Amino acid sequence: MTLQNFIEQTIRFFPDIAGEKEKHIEEYGEMLATIFFEESIMPRVIDLLMTDTEYEKLRDIFYYFEDVSINADENLDNIFSITILEMLGNDRDILEIAKKYMGPETSKKQRQADIDLGRSVS
């Protein structure tokens, strides 16, 4: 699984970010995945987790995250870990909600992202 696959699937979950993708590329001259993930994808995921009412959508997103955690190529794996998984750990309340939806590999990698940042983990 590649970075391009991830972006295309994420647009399926959040169709409104297709326009943001184009603006991003126009602004930066290329796709800077870490910035795009942090500014466009994760705010939407975190909003969904904060309300925790769209169970099926969250389940589908985290099912996909589990697939990414298992099948990503090295580039996507690195970017996924330093953006998506690190951002989930920025707020313990959000992380606790996310854990309800995470698969075992996503959970393991998120915990490792916290360790890599020097965060305490439980």
Side-chain angles (χ1 to χ4, degrees):
M1 180 177 309
T2 66
L3 180 61
Q4 186 61 36
N5 299 131
F6 183 81
I7 292 169
E8 289 170 8
Q9 179 59 41
T10 305
I11 290 172
R12 288 188 194 104
F13 290 127
F14 305 105
D16 60 310
I17 65 171
E20 290 181 30
K21 175 187 169 198
E22 300 311 317
K23 288 179 190 174
H24 174 90
I25 292 170
E26 187 177 307
E27 179 178 347
Y28 294 102
E30 63 182 314
M31 170 54 70
L32 301 176
T34 55
I35 294 170
F36 184 70
F37 289 8
E38 289 171 359
E39 293 179 353
S40 296
I41 296 170
M42 283 310 290
R44 286 165 175 81
V45 172
I46 289 170
D47 285 347
L48 285 171
L49 289 167
M50 285 174 54
T51 59
D52 196 19
T53 57
E54 294 187 52
Y55 310 112
E56 288 182 24
K57 187 169 190 168
L58 280 164
R59 182 199 65 218
D60 292 347
I61 289 167
F62 279 90
Y63 180 82
Y64 182 66
F65 284 0
E66 182 71 2
D67 189 27
V68 171
S69 293
I70 295 167
N71 296 307
D73 67 16
E74 186 177 347
N75 183 47
L76 176 57
D77 187 56
N78 289 333
I79 294 170
F80 184 76
S81 292
I82 65 171
T83 55
I84 305 294
L85 299 179
E86 284 183 8
M87 289 182 76
L88 287 172
N90 286 346
D91 181 308
R92 287 291 157 203
D93 294 332
I94 294 296
L95 181 58
E96 286 306 311
I97 297 166
K99 284 180 179 181
K100 296 188 311 188
Y101 299 99
M102 282 184 191
E105 192 64 25
T106 308
S107 183
K108 176 181 159 188
K109 287 188 175 198
Q110 192 291 316
R111 189 172 192 277
Q112 186 60 52
D114 278 353
I115 291 168
D116 292 346
L117 287 171
R119 293 179 179 152
S120 63
V121 292
S122 52

